[in-house]
Amino acid sequence: MSPLFLFLSFVALLSALGVVLAKNPVHSVLFLILTFFTLSGHYLLLNAQFLAAVNIIVYAGAIMVLFLFVIMFLNLNEETEPHKPALAKFAAAIAGGSLLLILVAALRNVNPAGYDPANFDSQIGMVDKLGMVLFKDYALPFELASILLLAAMVGSVMLGKRETGERNF
Amino acid sequence: MTLPALGWQGLVVLATFGISLLIATYCTYAERVIAAFLQDRVGPDRAGPFGLLQPLADAVKLFTKEEFFPAGANRALFVFGPCLAMVTALMSSAVIPFGNFLQFGDTIIHLQGIEINVGMLYVFGIVSLGVYGIMIGGWASNNKFSLLGAIRAASQNISYELAMGLALIAVLMMSGTLSLREITLQQSVAGEWHFWNIAKQPLGFLIFIVCAFAETNRTPFDLPECETELIGGYHTEYSSMKMGLYLFAEYINVFVASAVMSVLYFGGFNFPFQYELRDWLVSSRGLELVTAQNIITILGLVGLFAKIFGFIFFFMWVRWTLPRFRYDQLMRLGWTILIPLAIFNIMLTGGLITFGIIK
């Protein structure tokens, strides 16, 4: 394991813990952004440059901005934080614990698939290779997903359109 | 001088960093000179010859001002905000190809910080991170005007990133690569008529430049720091050099946006008749091919910077000419005009490529 991998994993785990443990929700969001960065670093180590860049653009750049946006408006802090009843805390602990149990049970006996160094293609994660796979082997799911995204975008444009008679000024 | 290739490349990275800072420094001067020119005033002329030392005087002023922390501010994030704005601004110039290559003997120096095959996505990713500096700083100030400025910046950047990305897709459809160096090289081919991307993508360029104004928070889209409504917007509470970092980051963003537009649409380091000039230097002047190529590279570097300065001037010209929009006008322009236009542009480009009219 390279020192870079160890460092990235260390920061990833630390910042993921920070997301859960930070008292201030804005700090939690910033830790989550840091986690996405370390994940992008892992993608780069796997020679998947396109995935790394898209991870930064979509998750760190767009979705987390919206998270931060909403949390800043909510004005969450320790005084206004609602105190949950003990039963809810108990139920949450049980649910979280069983999820952990399932994940551990599922991943306990997994063997890493490994790779064959003789005919391993180091360019597999490059954008042109990825495009070939997406458009040749998975053309239909890819197009369906893109229609879904386009529909969402057209929907947001429609929501932003001024309705008849509406005036803001 | 026997530096290994990596050492030379390191020098190029350092030079890119230094040039970004230097250009941002003199943008503050240029902004005032251009403002003075457009408003028929004298402008800065006290510090040094023609006021050329004005940026230095500004730096001294900013450094010696009081470091002020507003009551109830989140101190760590209050400092972190401007730092992040500066870091993200400086990171994006790393992949811009400022020139072709210089060759001395066996050493080849590419005049580009780093060459990665997703260069355009890298710039796009860093630009999309730039908004965090503003958001964090605005929120950490514990001031409602700052928060409103930060929220405006965030929604503006997200909205215009969409149209910018869609305008970019049309360029990528023609080039078939994300590497900025490849895109530049494709815009000029030896021995045939070959137009820069602006000739093939006029609509895309128009969308891109409007989005570039919005992404860099420049007038007429500088709503995040709109004085008439928000005092100073996200930097209301900032003073001293932290304020300076925000202003600096804006000028670096202007420089990078100008560079990206020059590379994507205006041929980058290519200039007309470069191959003819190279062949003429070889045949009539008796220079070696390598030397002639080096001369062309340096001329191309000068040409790219001329294009960049032209765009920077355009940014400033617009700032001192147009008033700023209202916020709802900005949002309507982004979502209901630019995005449908950009999608139309993609379909148009696709059609033209299919029928072989452009390639």
Side-chain angles (χ1 to χ4, degrees), chain A residues 86-151:
Chain A
L87 185 66
K89 285 181 185 168
F90 187 66
I94 295 278
S98 21
L99 183 63
L100 178 71
L101 195 70
I102 291 170
L103 282 178
V104 170
L107 295 175
R108 197 166 52 99
N109 289 328
V110 168
N111 280 322
Y115 65 95
D116 182 12
N119 49 22
F120 177 70
D121 182 7
S122 68
Q123 302 295 306
I124 193 113
M126 296 294 162
V127 53
D128 42 349
K129 292 277 161 56
L130 192 69
M132 285 297 174
V133 172
L134 276 180
F135 280 100
K136 277 186 171 158
D137 302 348
Y138 300 98
L140 186 66
F142 182 80
E143 292 299 332
L144 285 178
S146 70
I147 287 174
L148 196 67
L149 288 174
L150 187 65

Side-chain angles (χ1 to χ4, degrees), chain A residues 169, chain B residues 152 156 160 213-214 217-235 250 317-331 333:
Chain A
F169 290 91
Chain B
R152 279 184 171 192
Q156 173 175 332
Y160 279 77
F213 274 91
N217 296 330
R218 296 282 300 182
T219 324
F221 303 125
D222 63 340
L223 278 305
E225 46 186 302
C226 171
E227 301 94 349
T228 44
E229 301 160 18
L230 295 181
I231 309 175
Y234 60 90
H235 55 55
E250 180 181 318
W317 184 13
V318 168
R319 170 165 180 183
W320 297 105
T321 307
L322 294 180
R324 68 169 69 87
F325 284 122
R326 263 192 347 242
Y327 201 68
D328 62 316
Q329 291 172 329
L330 168 91
M331 280 297 158
L333 176 70

Side-chain angles (χ1 to χ4, degrees), chain B residues 94-339:
Chain B
V95 293
I96 291 168
F98 286 105
N100 212 341
F101 57 87
L102 291 171
Q103 191 172 2
F104 302 106
D106 290 336
T107 348
I108 291 181
I109 309 165
H110 289 279
L111 297 182
Q112 181 182 17
I114 40 170
E115 160 67 17
I116 50 177
N117 68 1
V118 289
M120 198 50 239
L121 284 182
Y122 172 87
V123 175
F124 207 63
I126 300 296
V127 165
S128 69
L129 294 177
V131 67
Y132 282 119
I134 292 176
M135 279 189 88
I136 290 170
W139 178 80
S141 303
N142 194 29
N143 175 323
K144 63 182 119 176
F145 294 110
S146 301
L147 181 63
L148 281 173
I151 296 293
R152 279 184 171 192
S155 41
Q156 173 175 332
N157 277 33
I158 293 176
S159 310
Y160 279 77
E161 246 164 47
L162 273 178
M164 198 182 211
L166 290 173
L168 208 58
I169 284 176
V171 176
L172 300 181
M173 280 162 71
M174 296 192 316
S175 66
T177 173
L178 286 164
S179 151
L180 286 173
R181 189 179 150 76
E182 284 294 315
I183 292 176
T184 310
L185 290 176
Q186 281 176 7
Q187 292 183 53
S188 177
V189 176
E192 58 177 277
W193 275 101
H194 213 87
F195 293 106
W196 293 341
N197 280 341
I198 176 72
K200 305 171 190 167
Q201 285 290 336
L203 183 60
F205 174 68
L206 194 68
I207 297 167
F208 196 92
I209 196 168
V210 171
C211 293
F213 274 91
E215 291 283 314
T216 50
N217 296 330
R218 296 282 300 182
T219 324
F221 303 125
D222 63 340
L223 278 305
E225 46 186 302
C226 171
E227 301 94 349
T228 44
E229 301 160 18
L230 295 181
I231 309 175
Y234 60 90
H235 55 55
T236 302
E237 296 285 1
Y238 278 91
S239 61
S240 183
M241 206 52 209
K242 293 202 287 297
M243 167 88 182
L245 285 183
Y246 270 130
L247 299 181
F248 231 69
E250 180 181 318
Y251 285 113
I252 296 173
N253 281 332
V254 167
F255 164 62
V256 171
S258 306
V260 169
M261 283 189 287
S262 314
V263 168
L264 283 180
Y265 294 99
F266 280 81
F269 50 71
N270 294 310
F271 58 93
F273 305 112
Q274 51 183 348
Y275 300 107
E276 285 79 356
L277 181 63
R278 185 187 65 190
D279 294 340
W280 179 77
L281 282 174
V282 171
S283 59
S284 310
R285 293 269 141 188
L287 290 177
E288 283 179 53
L289 186 63
V290 177
T291 322
Q293 178 61 45
N294 285 349
I295 291 173
I296 297 295
T297 301
I298 289 169
L299 283 178
L301 184 74
V302 174
L304 177 63
F305 273 98
K307 290 169 195 170
I308 292 174
F309 291 147
F311 275 116
I312 292 177
F313 173 72
F314 184 71
F315 269 96
M316 290 171 181
W317 184 13
V318 168
R319 170 165 180 183
W320 297 105
T321 307
L322 294 180
R324 68 169 69 87
F325 284 122
R326 263 192 347 242
Y327 201 68
D328 62 316
Q329 291 172 329
L330 168 91
M331 280 297 158
R332 193 164 329 116
L333 176 70
W335 285 96
T336 62
I337 300 177
L338 288 183
I339 290 179

Side-chain angles (χ1 to χ4, degrees), chain B residues 29-49:
Chain B
Y29 170 75
E31 180 104 78
R32 287 169 212 202
V33 170
I34 291 168
F37 169 67
L38 290 175
Q39 295 170 349
D40 205 10
R41 295 187 280 113
V42 177
D45 68 341
R46 298 289 113 178

Side-chain angles (χ1 to χ4, degrees), chain B residues 13-26:
Chain B
V13 172
L14 269 183
T16 311
F17 176 73
I19 287 170
S20 306
L21 284 179
L22 187 73
I23 287 183
T25 311
Y26 272 90

